[in-house]
Amino acid sequence: MNSSHYSSRILLLLLGANLLFSACKKGAGIDADSSSTKCIPTLLPNQFRSIFLSDPIPNSTEEQALAVFHFSQSMKTYSNTPCKALPNECSTQLRVQNVSGKKMRLAYSISYSQGNNNWQSDGFVELLPDSSSQVGQITSNCGWITAEGLRVVKRSLSLD
């Protein structure tokens, strides 16, 4: 074989190896451009809080717990990444539980106020006795729900 034939084979082998190496790098999640910065947020431990809503039941003079508002909050932060300037990603979920023993229709307002951080969410649930409803996400605000600024207010209530 002549030297140009060997050169062609070596060139083909090098091109094939380069393609294979490039495909492996992409499959492993490594950027071919090493100068690009990946900002993968850190997931902080979830925060939980429950607030009892009490009210006098008809024909009663004492307040009784009627519903429990169960909050859970998840937060992702970029504080330990090269992208510290990116905002945190937050989500607060709500589940309302009927503990009255009666069918309930409840309109409510939730407010949060801690310093300059404020938000409000209004809602309505209709619950059978001893049941609960997953309301879903009520805010993407990053105020800690474990702080004292979280309140639930009954706007209207009907018990059957």
Side-chain angles (χ1 to χ4, degrees):
M1 287 195 190
N2 61 25
S3 66
S4 70
H5 184 66
Y6 281 119
S7 298
S8 297
R9 282 188 161 186
I10 290 172
L11 182 59
L12 284 174
L13 284 172
L14 288 173
L15 284 173
N18 189 26
L19 286 173
L20 182 62
F21 180 70
S22 180
C24 288
K25 282 177 68 175
K26 287 188 188 281
I30 300 170
D31 286 339
D33 178 10
S34 62
S35 67
S36 67
T37 304
K38 284 194 173 187
C39 294
I40 300 171
T42 302
L43 182 60
L44 298 177
N46 284 354
Q47 299 292 313
F48 300 97
R49 179 143 185 220
S50 294
I51 295 178
F52 285 84
L53 181 67
S54 299
D55 202 48
I57 292 182
N59 302 323
S60 173
T61 57
E62 294 182 21
E63 286 194 1
Q64 293 182 328
L66 301 176
V68 183
F69 285 70
H70 299 279
F71 299 90
S72 65
Q73 181 180 51
S74 62
M75 185 183 297
K76 293 178 182 177
T77 181
Y78 291 93
S79 64
N80 293 326
T81 72
C83 305
K84 292 176 183 5
L86 289 176
N88 292 335
E89 299 171 16
C90 304
S91 173
T92 300
Q93 305 286 321
L94 173 63
R95 181 173 59 91
V96 180
Q97 179 182 5
N98 179 355
V99 294
S100 72
K102 299 178 184 229
K103 183 177 177 182
M104 172 187 295
R105 285 179 289 295
L106 173 65
Y108 58 87
S109 290
I110 300 166
S111 63
Y112 178 86
S113 180
Q114 195 73 19
N116 292 330
N117 195 356
N118 301 293
W119 58 266
Q120 183 170 340
S121 177
D122 297 321
F124 174 84
V125 289
E126 188 168 330
L127 298 166
L128 294 173
D130 305 316
S131 68
S132 64
S133 173
Q134 186 66 43
V135 175
Q137 181 174 332
I138 57 169
T139 187
S140 59
N141 184 289
C142 289
W144 288 111
I145 60 171
T146 54
E148 292 301 316
L150 186 64
R151 289 189 32 204
V152 175
V153 176
K154 172 192 65 140
R155 290 190 357 236
S156 69
L157 173 67
S158 171
L159 298 171
D160 297 326

